[in-house]
Amino acid sequence: FLDPETANQFDVAYEWYFEDGAMLSATAFFKDVEGSVINNQSTATRIDSRDSSVVDVTFVTPTNGKGSDVKGLEVGYQQEFDEFGVVANYTYTDAESRQDRDAVAAPGSGLVRGTSEHMYNLTGYYENNLLSARASYNYRSNYYDGLDAFGSELYTKEFAQMDASVTWHAAEDVDVVFEGVNLLGEKLEHYHIDESRTARIYDNGTRLVVGVNYSF
């Protein structure tokens, strides 16, 4: 019985191509979000089957909230230096819920899920007819990630990850590919309200892949 989440969005962008293969850009954005799904707590009496006593049970159910205003700014830069190049961008997001904040009676109220205040990506690459190499560093600050199974507010800590890939054009139709994901072995951590109250930690390690692509 939930209504769809809708948004009126407005973006204005400026791009400056100051030389071949190079650009500076800036984008301001605003999103008027209606019907954002929030979690609502209610209490009802139930019979405890173990001893037939009457107990109060808290239920957490999704419902449509008052929506939110999301605005921010994104800046980008890219440029080539012969066979080398760099691509970088940064995004600042200010997200405000129209719901009143009551962390005790209504966990999650007054928050916008999944929005980090700061995010940035930095990529360096090298390309020629024989070799293509790329390394990327991605970062996002902590953010609210909804409610856990027990109805408590769940947050994700700031997270950064380094990835890299190298492609060797061994023949006209054959590429040898090497990929490395999460080279620094960063862990993804969730916590309850305060960073000292760890909820869970995902240690996905570093993933290395070697392969051969053949085109025909």
Side-chain angles (χ1 to χ4, degrees), residues 38-214:
I38 63 172
N39 292 287
N40 182 57
Q41 278 197 344
S42 59
T43 302
T45 57
R46 292 292 186 270
I47 302 297
D48 189 336
S49 60
R50 294 171 297 182
D51 57 10
S52 298
S53 62
V54 177
V55 295
D56 290 331
V57 179
T58 299
F59 293 91
V60 179
T61 55
T63 186
N64 289 106
K66 297 179 180 179
S68 59
D69 295 316
V70 181
K71 54 185 178 293
L73 177 69
E74 181 178 12
V75 292
Y77 162 73
Q78 68 179 57
Q79 189 170 5
E80 295 180 354
F81 305 93
D82 294 326
E83 295 178 340
F84 294 90
V86 62
V87 179
N89 62 70
Y90 165 76
T91 303
Y92 169 77
T93 303
D94 178 19
E96 295 184 0
S97 171
R98 302 191 195 105
Q99 210 77 27
D100 293 333
R101 178 75 172 136
D102 188 346
V104 177
S109 59
L111 301 173
V112 180
R113 184 175 183 176
T115 55
S116 293
E117 187 174 13
H118 304 286
M119 297 178 63
Y120 65 81
N121 306 279
L122 177 63
T123 300
Y125 63 88
Y126 173 82
E127 291 184 353
N128 58 26
N129 293 330
L130 183 63
L131 195 69
S132 176
R134 179 178 295 262
S136 300
Y137 185 81
N138 308 298
Y139 168 86
R140 69 180 298 180
S141 58
N142 61 333
Y143 59 93
Y144 169 61
D145 202 16
L147 301 184
D148 69 4
F150 302 101
S152 300
E153 292 178 357
L154 191 68
Y155 296 80
T156 299
K157 279 189 179 181
E158 61 179 2
F159 180 77
Q161 180 170 308
M162 172 73 79
D163 304 324
S165 65
V166 178
T167 301
W168 172 40
H169 308 296
E172 182 177 355
D173 300 320
V174 178
D175 290 336
V176 179
V177 180
F178 168 80
E179 293 183 356
V181 179
N182 194 19
L183 293 175
L184 302 180
E186 297 291 342
K187 300 176 182 178
L188 187 62
E189 300 184 39
H190 300 276
Y191 63 93
H192 294 299
I193 302 179
D194 186 274
E195 290 193 13
S196 63
R197 298 176 58 194
T198 301
R200 50 181 176 258
I201 299 175
Y202 294 97
D203 186 357
N204 297 312
T206 299
R207 187 168 73 250
L208 302 176
V209 179
V210 177
V212 176
N213 295 333
Y214 174 69

